[in-house]
């Protein structure tokens, strides 16, 4: 076969590793004495776990956390040797893999602690972080059960209790009353533990909004802020220095004029009120671009935002460029269209239009979207 010319797919997620490293430096300053644990679950929120971890290692980030054991194994097989915490609680049959790959396990129940003790006896040393449920009611031990479980684990041969932690329910929100209740529950517990292992509570929201969750704690577990993805408007305001890492861009495949009364896309949910230029973009829900943006989202072309016309399809999305004699009349086939990121709406804007959060947007991008890494060399400037 003759060799094909290099192909640039119209839709791509550009991942700016300079911005990532810049954010790591800025957040480390915020964390003061606490060590940053970079949360790289869900393929680093869709940014690509291995390239993200490698860039952060260059930046001096020492610890990482993933959600599931398979994510931890993939990083180990990619050559990552740094401490790795698996935040989901394991099922007992998964524990030998934790020992084999040197992954720190979360203990969230008494049965989980017993399984760890028995797996360590039979299959080699295990490191654990004991998870306390202080109010999220997702994973974790009731505070009253923590001292007993710690005793069990500390007396178990081959088990190292490295951490004690909890997770906030409302650290991303403006009202922090409940977060302070969780903090008080955790602190009451910590006073009963001697000597305390590495303590950690804060996610991005905790780091940015709850100084008491950071000062004097060993670790902070930061995901969203590292990627420049604010989970809410309040966090966007609290971290103005953080830069978006991902930019989702595509290209215009076709431009046409539809007349008054004509409709666009499936179900005919959009009707032209007069002669209107329509641009067809190479992006759709098959790429993870939310279908809920139908008739609600906006996309930037040539520095202007245009509304989505009609339903987002699996592979294609149409824009209402306005009347042919307006600024949208200048849009041409091949023009770049910024779906989110630099030069377009923010991921948070798009998330709000789609009635979701910015994390879900980047996590939801499918394997069809190539991740293109830029800024892989050192640099990026000092944080402000
Ligand atoms: C995802 C996650 C984090 C990181 O949260 P961000 O808001 O992205 O910083 C921290 N801790 C736990 C338990 C998580 O599941």
């Amino acid at each position: 076969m003759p060799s094909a010319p290099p192909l640039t797919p119209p839709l791509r997620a550009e991942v700016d590793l300079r911005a990532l490293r810049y954010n790591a430096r800025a957040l480390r300053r915020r964390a003061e004495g606490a060590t940053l644990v970079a949360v790289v679950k869900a393929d680093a929120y869709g940014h690509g776990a291995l390239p993200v971890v490698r860039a952060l290692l260059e930046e001096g980030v020492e610890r990482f956390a993933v959600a599931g054991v398979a994510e931890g194994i993939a990083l180990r097989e990619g050559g990552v040797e740094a401490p790795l915490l698996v935040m989901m609680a394991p099922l007992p049959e998964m524990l030998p893999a934790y020992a084999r790959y040197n992954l720190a396990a979360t203990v969230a129940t008494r049965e989980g602690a017993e399984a760890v003790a028995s797996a360590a006896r039979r299959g080699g040393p295990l490191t654990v972080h004991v998870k306390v449920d202080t109010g999220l009611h997702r994973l974790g031990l009731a505070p009253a059960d923590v001292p007993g479980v710690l005793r069990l684990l500390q007396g178990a041969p081959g088990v190292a209790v490295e951490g004690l932690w909890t997770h906030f329910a409302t650290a991303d929100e403006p009202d922090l009353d409940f977060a302070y209740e969780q903090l008080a529950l955790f602190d009451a517990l910590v006073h009963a533990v001697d000597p305390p292992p590495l303590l950690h509570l804060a996610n991005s929201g905790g780091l940015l909004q709850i100084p008491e969750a950071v000062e004097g704690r060993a670790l902070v577990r930061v995901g969203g802020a590292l990627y420049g993805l604010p989970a809410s408007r309040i966090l966007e305001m609290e971290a103005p220095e953080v830069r978006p890492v991902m930019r989702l861009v595509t290209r215009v495949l076709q431009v046409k004029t539809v007349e008054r009364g004509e409709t666009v896309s499936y179900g005919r949910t959009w009707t032209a009120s007069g002669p209107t230029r329509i641009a067809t973009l190479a992006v759709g829900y098959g790429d993870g671009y939310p279908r809920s943006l139908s008739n609600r989202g906006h996309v930037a072309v040539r520095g202007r935002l245009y509304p989505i016309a009609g339903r987002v399809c699996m592979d294609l999305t149409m824009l209402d460029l306005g009347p042919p004699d307006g600024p949208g009349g200048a849009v041409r086939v091949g023009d770049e269209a910024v779906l989110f990121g630099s030069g377009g709406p923010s991921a948070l804007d798009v998330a709000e239009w789609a009635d979701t959060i910015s994390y879900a947007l980047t996590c939801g991008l499918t394997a069809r979207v190539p991740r293109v890494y830029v800024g892989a060399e050192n640099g990026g400037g000092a944080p402000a």
Side-chain angles (χ1 to χ4, degrees), residues 37-41 45 65-67 85 87-88 131 136 138-139 165-168 171-172 200-207 220-227 229 231 235 357 359:
V37 180
V39 177
V40 295
K41 62 190 179 188
Y45 295 42
V66 291
L85 169 64
M87 296 188 293
M88 278 203 283
K131 174 85 188 278
L136 181 60
R138 191 171 71 173
L139 287 175
W165 63 294
T166 192
H167 191 43
F168 291 120
D172 305 340
H200 48 110
L201 304 94
N203 66 336
S204 297
L207 171 61
V220 292
R221 305 180 308 273
V222 180
L226 263 180
Y227 308 107
L229 289 175
L235 294 190
I357 65 164
Y359 299 2

Side-chain angles (χ1 to χ4, degrees), residues 34 117 142 160 173 190 224 233 287 302 307 323:
E173 321 249 330
V190 167
R233 288 291 169 200
D287 304 297
R302 294 186 180 228

Side-chain angles (χ1 to χ4, degrees), residues 12 90 99 201 223 272 339 363:
R12 61 191 189 278
L201 304 94
L339 302 158
C363 280

